[in-house]
Amino acid sequence: MAPRPHWIFGDQLGPHFLDPRHGGPDAKAPVVMIEARSALRRRRFHRAKAHLVLSAMRHRAAELGDRVTYVRAETYAEGLERAVGLRAPRRPGGAGAEDAGRAERSGADARLTVCHPTSRPALAFVNGLDGVEVLPAKGFLVPRDDFEAWAGHSGGRSLRMEGFYRWVRGRHDLLMDGDEPAGGTWNLDHDNREPPPRGHDTLDVRGPWQPREDSIDEEVRRDLDRWERDGDVSFVGRDGPRRFPVTRREALSALRHFTTHRLPDFGRYEDAMLAADPVMSHSLLSVPLNLGLLDPAECVERAEQAWRAGDAPLNSVEGFVRQIAGWREYVWQLYWHFGEDYRTRNALRHTTPLPDWFLDLDADAVTANCLSTVLAQVRDTGWTHHIPRLMVLGSRALQDGWDPAAVTDWFHRCFVDGYDWVMLPNVVGMSQYADGGLMTTKPYTSGGAYIHRMSDLCGPCAYRPTDRTGDHACPYTTGYWAFMDRHRTLLSANHRTARAVKGLDRLKDLPELLETARRRGASPP
Ligand code: FAD
Ligand code: SF4
């Protein structure tokens, strides 16, 4: 029997998505790829993100040569009809259809295969098609059913990351010595939270891997220019020189470069921020991982090899393994586990619309040095590391009571590594506490003191991290207390925040502080 064609999405670009083993597509299956313009029209994405996805897809198509049918279409439905004559959709998609995908429909009469897509809307779409077999997800360490079994066995205890991470380590024999964690401890976070080295503008480590652009990048840039000129699509941000891998070969080079030159320093300053060194020792691997160019297993295995060879210290390697085998896997599983209505959760009833200066990445309109610096990084590159995302951008949104669904959409559009599955738990749960504590034990926000301790951003700022009132009051400090005051009842019932709420009662200048916060309102801080 001739192999059935296999459709790959734009985030399924690595060789493992075409590997016939482990429930993959037919051996030597012809490949279908669809570049759907409607996906770009739907939202105002960062231009660098549009560039990366299109460049990666077109590079993959060039590698696959005659094996691929590459269709540029308005929609996926049109693309499928043109590529394989398949009409879509005959059955309505929707919440029920998603779950059908988990059971993997019988493939006996399927004319086309596709690996489990990474978003609920895409899964509902493929499940709504006749003649398509949905194969198991690839690109993650833990199958969805195994996670659900683990969650079931947790006996109703909350599904915290730490327990999940230890289970993954043991199950995959990752950084383990027999049944024990390597080095005798599971968690080296206390070694990985140092403030930046004082008196240094940058970390003394080799810079990140950098790609060289080629004719495919040029073609993508020309297309984006034309579509923008024609008013067909609209972007935010700047599309400067490409910084991230778009091919398997580039992704492997970036991984090798990171594990050889940068991993040893990854841990220590993982949470620190330096204005002139936004990347510090971070890996910049989220883009190739989320495009499907790298498999998480090979990333953590290489890191472990570096430790076993004595080339990187345990705190850095454990910190990196924790990010990928812990956080990334956990977030992927929670996306499916929490269900469709997770995206509309709003436990704190925050409804303020995002201000225009934030939507437009207008860093120059902002006085607060931390926010202006980070917003400029997003504008220029579509990337910042996890602490600016959580403690500068997310914290601003939380303190000011912005609508969490709009905040999620903003992160999704503006970050080069943003996809539905990774955004929802990270933003709705982790950053905006809109799930009321399903994912985290407390809201993540802080006053200026934390940013001051963990960065060099406060020194040149027009505000002072310690000031709560007056012209120099730090918007993070006033915002923090105003947030605590607004949610006093809820937060005093949480043992992790109850003490902070008590601190409110000791603030003699609380009325003045709240007035300062109110007066500033939606103006850029
Ligand atoms: P490193 O610091 O080098 O970490 C290594 C890898 O760990 C990353 O490449 C990533 O694959 C993985 N990782 C670590 N934490 C997470 C996490 N919480 N969720 C998923 N993967 C994780 N990550 C994304 O991939 N896409 C997003 O859209 C995204 N949005 C975020 C939004 C907020 C509000 C927050 C707090 C975090 C978000 N993250 C997201 C997680 C994290 O910030 C990025 O993965 C990381 O900054 C990417 O840079 P890096 O590759 O240098 O990461
Ligand atoms: Fe940010 Fe406040 Fe520090 Fe200024 S003083 S950089 S606003 S934390």
Side-chain angles (χ1 to χ4, degrees), residues 368-371 447-449 451-452 457-458 461-465 474-477:
N369 192 41
C370 54
L371 185 55
I451 295 175
H452 184 43
L457 293 157
C458 295
C461 185
Y463 303 117
R464 295 191 198 114
C474 164
Y476 284 85
T477 303

Side-chain angles (χ1 to χ4, degrees), residues 130-163:
D130 277 334
V132 174
E133 184 184 4
V134 181
L135 305 175
K138 291 188 180 246
F140 295 90
L141 295 167
V142 179
R144 280 179 59 194
D145 287 342
D146 293 9
F147 174 83
E148 292 304 336
W150 172 81
H153 286 141
S154 75
R157 289 193 317 272
S158 54
L159 305 173
R160 295 298 173 216
M161 203 299 277
E162 189 65 32

Side-chain angles (χ1 to χ4, degrees), residues 497-512:
T497 44
R499 251 183 62 194
V501 177
K502 282 204 182 103
L504 269 176
D505 301 326
R506 289 194 292 274
L507 296 183
K508 300 227 164 35
D509 52 2
L510 186 60
E512 207 184 331

Side-chain angles (χ1 to χ4, degrees), residues 353-372 375 396 400 402 461-463 471 473-476 478 516-525:
L354 270 57
D356 286 345
W357 54 267
F358 197 78
L359 288 168
D360 295 338
L361 308 180
D362 187 1
D364 299 333
V366 177
T367 306
N369 192 41
C370 54
L371 185 55
S372 171
L375 211 52
R396 182 77 270 121
D400 287 354
W402 297 349
C461 185
Y463 303 117
D471 289 348
C474 164
Y476 284 85
T478 51
T516 306
R518 196 197 57 76
R519 239 185 305 114
R520 283 188 177 154
S523 329

